[in-house]
């Protein structure tokens, strides 16, 4: 598949090459990789297109054609469905996308120690994304320069806030004291004072930034919290990042308290 992303890929031929029937190939592939072969091919093609949009001159539609999208409209539709923004918006903003890199069966150990610190109460002015997938919401926020719209043109640190109700609700914005621009279609959100575990994601490349954030969240949820002396509180959790810093590292704040240990 990886060697033939720019060509037509026959899944029946893939199954035959692997030595399985098509039915078993599809089932085993999804169990091992997490997506179907068709989804894998689509995501990988869109990832390679995204990389080339920023590194090649010329028509973006030509890049789409190269990777099997048979019309400009189909390419734009597929890109927007995956990332929440059109290829042209992405090229103009050069923001970080959640890309889907080549699958690797080798697991890499990930370890990160947080800073445990009291944080003051902070009031934000935010756009409410509801249950929009956070990476797509960040893409829309950055591509449409909503941070500067809120601040009146100044470069500010942005907050991405997760609130768990019956499902995850996500909002993005800036501190209220910095909100000197247009506040239409926004809401006020208060982050309570308290003790937080603060994780700084490892610095990485633009292409791998969003995946590194997701790796950090997985580490927090699956390893650090279950095995540590702290437990999370039922309060908003948040991320902070300044897009124009281009540092490709952010901070994640988890509200915590010491775990009660029965004697």
């Amino acid at each position: 598949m990886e060697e033939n992303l720019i060509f037509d890929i026959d899944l029946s031929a893939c199954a035959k090459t692997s030595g399985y029937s098509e039915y078993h190939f599809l089932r085993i592939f999804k169990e091992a990789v997490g997506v179907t072969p068709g989804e894998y091919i689509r995501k990988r093609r869109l990832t390679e297109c995204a990389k080339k949009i920023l590194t090649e001159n010329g028509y973006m539609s030509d890049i789409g054609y190269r990777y099997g999208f048979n019309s400009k409209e189909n390419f734009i539709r597929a890109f927007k469905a995956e990332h929440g923004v059109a290829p042209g918006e992405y090229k103009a903003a050069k923001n970080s996308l959640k890309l889907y890199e080549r699958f690797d069966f080798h697991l890499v150990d990930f370890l990160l120690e947080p800073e445990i610190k009291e944080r003051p109460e902070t009031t934000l002015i935010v756009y409410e994304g509801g249950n929009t997938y956070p990476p797509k919401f960040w893409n829309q926020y950055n591509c449409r320069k909503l941070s500067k719209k809120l601040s009146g043109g100044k470069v500010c640190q942005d907050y991405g806030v997760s609130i768990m109700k019956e499902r995850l609700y996500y909002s993005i914005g800036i501190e209220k004291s910095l909100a000197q621009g247009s506040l239409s279609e926004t809401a006020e959100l208060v982050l309570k004072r308290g003790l937080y575990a603060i994780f700084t994601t490892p610095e990485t490349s633009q292409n791998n930034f969003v995946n590194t954030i997701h790796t950090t969240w997985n580490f927090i949820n699956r390893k650090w919290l279950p095995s540590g002396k702290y437990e999370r509180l039922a309060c908003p959790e948040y991320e902070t990042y300044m897009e124009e810093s281009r540092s490709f590292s952010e901070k994640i704040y988890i509200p915590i308290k010491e775990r009660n240990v029965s004697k």
Side-chain angles (χ1 to χ4, degrees):
M1 289 178 179
E2 288 294 333
E3 294 172 359
N4 291 280
L5 286 176
I6 62 173
F7 303 109
D8 289 337
I9 298 176
D10 184 345
L11 294 183
S12 297
C14 292
K16 185 176 181 180
T17 301
S18 70
Y20 290 99
S21 68
E22 188 170 352
Y23 170 80
H24 283 96
F25 169 70
L26 296 175
R27 180 179 61 80
I28 293 169
F29 189 100
K30 187 170 183 180
E31 286 180 0
V33 180
V35 295
T36 66
E39 289 174 308
Y40 181 86
I41 292 167
R42 179 183 61 80
K43 286 177 177 290
R44 286 290 297 119
R45 284 173 169 166
L46 286 170
T47 290
E48 295 307 309
C49 287
K51 291 177 181 179
K52 286 175 172 54
I53 284 173
L54 296 188
T55 58
E56 294 184 4
N57 296 320
Y59 295 111
M60 287 178 284
S61 57
D62 289 344
I63 296 173
Y65 290 139
R66 194 188 314 163
Y67 281 89
F69 297 96
N70 57 15
S71 71
K72 177 181 179 181
E73 291 72 24
N74 283 344
F75 175 52
I76 293 173
R77 189 182 303 115
F79 194 97
K80 196 167 185 177
E82 183 74 10
H83 299 297
V85 294
E89 292 180 292
Y90 165 62
K91 185 175 179 67
K94 297 179 173 59
N95 59 293
S96 301
L97 300 179
K98 188 179 189 306
L99 300 181
Y100 196 92
E101 300 291 358
R102 178 174 182 155
F103 186 79
D104 189 348
F105 285 96
H106 301 287
L107 299 177
V108 178
D109 289 335
F110 187 89
L111 182 64
L112 204 59
E113 284 299 321
E115 178 184 12
I116 308 299
K117 189 176 180 179
E118 286 277 343
R119 290 280 295 167
E121 180 176 287
T122 305
T123 303
L124 308 177
I125 299 296
V126 300
Y127 291 100
E128 296 178 309
N131 57 10
T132 303
Y133 184 46
K136 287 186 178 181
F137 192 23
W138 273 108
N139 294 341
Q140 295 163 1
Y141 182 85
N142 288 325
C143 286
R144 294 161 194 174
K145 302 187 183 302
L146 297 183
S147 182
K148 286 188 175 180
K149 181 179 178 181
L150 288 178
S151 70
K154 295 180 181 178
V155 176
C156 296
Q157 178 172 254
D158 297 303
Y159 287 70
V161 184
S162 302
I163 299 175
M164 183 60 71
K165 297 179 182 178
E166 68 275 10
R167 57 182 9 183
L168 176 67
Y169 283 78
Y170 203 80
S171 300
I172 307 176
I174 65 175
E175 292 183 16
K176 183 179 180 180
S177 60
L178 300 173
Q180 305 298 317
S182 172
L183 306 186
S184 62
E185 301 182 341
T186 63
E188 192 170 294
L189 193 158
V190 177
L191 302 174
K192 293 183 179 180
R193 177 182 180 277
L195 188 66
Y196 286 79
I198 306 170
F199 295 83
T200 302
T201 66
E203 285 193 19
T204 186
S205 66
Q206 178 181 1
N207 288 339
N208 200 42
F209 181 38
V210 180
N211 287 325
T212 300
I213 294 170
H214 283 247
T215 298
T216 304
W217 274 106
N218 285 336
F219 168 77
I220 293 168
N221 292 324
R222 297 177 184 178
K223 293 186 178 180
W224 190 80
L225 281 168
S227 62
K229 68 175 184 177
Y230 296 101
E231 58 183 306
R232 65 171 14 119
L233 297 176
C235 300
E237 303 171 354
Y238 59 98
E239 307 161 283
T240 60
Y241 182 62
M242 186 181 293
E243 177 68 17
E244 291 197 20
S245 72
R246 313 303 283 175
S247 63
F248 306 117
S249 173
E250 72 164 26
K251 292 186 182 296
I252 296 173
Y253 298 78
I254 308 294
I256 55 171
K257 66 176 181 179
E258 288 199 21
R259 193 185 304 276
N260 290 326
V261 180
S262 301
K263 293 183 178 179

